[in-house]
Each structure stands twice: as structure tokens, then as C-alpha cells.
Amino acid sequence: MFRSIARVVVPVGMVSVSVLASLANAQGLPNTLAYQIRLPLNPTLAPNPLTATLSIFRSNMQDKIMKSAEAMPESKYSYRPTKDVRSFAEILNHLGDISYILCSNVKGEATPGMAIAKGSKTEILAYLKGAFDYCDGVYSGFTDAHLNDPADFFGAKTNKMFILTQDALHYGNLVTYLRINGLEPSGGWF
């Protein structure tokens, strides 16, 4: 009797564990085209694992920021929790500005794009997309050897790796603004 139950339970249990593991793994991956096409599943296996890891991180942050910008109704773009902090739109514009500034620094180029009008939700989304696309160009030909190259962060000496991680700082602000306005951020619990 025990053997006949085991013959059914063990294979069903193994299939269930396999299916659940696949679902958990699929849900834990960034849902971005760049990640799905260009980057290896395990960045430690990439020729430049640190750059691959940063690229996954950046792509994930860009995706979350864009989804946050899309989720907030345009009527709430002027929302600010207190008069002493930036509005939702001002944070998004700052993210675009800082992306252009920092990525042009890493590229060793003059800062482009900041004169673009960016008042409406549509203009701000286009501005962010342009800034993120510009920054994606930093990774073209970038290797782990470049990460410790010197960079300037508003007068402070640092390295390029530090510069390439800065846009994540403001995602937390966007999440707070969305939650205060009864909206669920795309990043789940954080």
C-alpha cells in the first residue's frame, strides 16, 4: 500500500516542485526587453560580470521608474507631500536631467538634451525615455575594466561605477508618492 501511494505522490510532488521553482524564477527576473535579449541569465557567467550586473540593475530601475511615471495620473504630477520637497513631475525631470549629466560624464561628452520642454506627462515620459536611451549607450563597449575609471560627481572624485548607480536613489520617492495617492508601484513591495 505504501509503495503504491509513493508511486503517485513522489512523481506528482517532483513535478509540482519543478513547476513552482520555474514560476518563482520567472517572476524574480526583470521584465525588460534589454534583459531578455542582451544579458545572460546569470551575470557571473558574462565576459564582464560586474558590467552585466550593473546593466541588469539599471535596466530594472529604468523600467520601474518609467512604469511609475506612467501609473501616476497627469493631474497628480504636481503633487508634493509638503511644500519643501519636489513634486512628482520635478523628481521625474530631475531623473532625466541627472541621467544626461552623469552619463555624459561617463562618456566624456558635453551634456545633451536638457533644453527639451518637459511640462506635460507626455513630454516628461519622452524626456525620461530619451535620457535612459542615452545612458544605455554608455554600456555599448563598456567593460569591467572601465568601472574604476575616474569620474567627477559634482566636484567630488569618484569612479564610473558610482556614477552609473545614482538614478536608483529617487525610485523610493516615486514609490512613496504613488502609495500616498493610492496607487500600487510596479516594483511590488518596494
Side-chain angles (χ1 to χ4, degrees):
M1 166 105 167
F2 178 73
R3 283 185 184 207
S4 59
I5 292 173
R7 285 184 188 153
V8 173
V9 171
V10 170
V12 169
M14 290 173 64
V15 168
S16 298
V17 167
S18 176
V19 168
L20 289 173
S22 296
L23 287 172
N25 188 34
Q27 290 177 359
L29 296 176
N31 188 21
T32 62
L33 188 59
Y35 180 81
Q36 294 168 4
I37 293 174
R38 292 182 289 169
L39 301 173
L41 183 59
N42 182 348
T44 63
L45 302 176
N48 292 286
L50 299 175
T51 304
T53 300
L54 277 175
S55 189
I56 292 167
F57 171 78
R58 183 172 183 79
S59 182
N60 188 29
M61 278 296 103
Q62 288 175 349
D63 184 56
K64 288 179 179 186
I65 290 166
M66 290 302 292
K67 285 181 179 175
S68 296
E70 291 164 357
M72 184 69 90
E74 186 164 11
S75 63
K76 297 285 189 170
Y77 263 51
S78 61
Y79 173 78
R80 66 181 80 231
T82 72
K83 65 179 176 59
D84 300 322
V85 298
R86 290 180 175 130
S87 69
F88 190 81
E90 289 169 338
I91 292 171
L92 294 175
N93 279 317
H94 174 69
L95 277 162
D97 291 346
I98 202 72
S99 291
Y100 276 121
I101 291 167
L102 296 177
C103 290
S104 64
N105 178 326
V106 169
K107 284 181 154 184
E109 297 177 354
T111 302
M114 293 181 56
I116 298 169
K118 45 200 187 266
S120 71
K121 179 176 179 175
T122 301
E123 291 167 337
I124 292 170
L125 286 169
Y127 182 64
L128 272 176
K129 182 174 179 350
F132 291 162
D133 288 348
Y134 177 78
C135 284
D136 287 344
V138 169
Y139 289 97
S140 178
F142 207 75
T143 67
D144 287 2
H146 295 107
L147 293 176
N148 202 37
D149 287 353
D152 181 74
F153 186 71
F154 302 102
K157 299 299 176 200
T158 186
N159 62 23
K160 290 184 177 182
M161 184 172 171
F162 178 83
I163 300 291
L164 294 172
T165 60
Q166 295 308 298
D167 62 351
L169 299 175
H170 297 295
Y171 175 64
N173 297 107
L174 299 177
V175 167
T176 301
Y177 285 33
L178 288 168
R179 288 198 183 279
I180 289 172
N181 283 283
L183 299 166
E184 181 72 25
S186 66
W189 58 272
F190 62 93

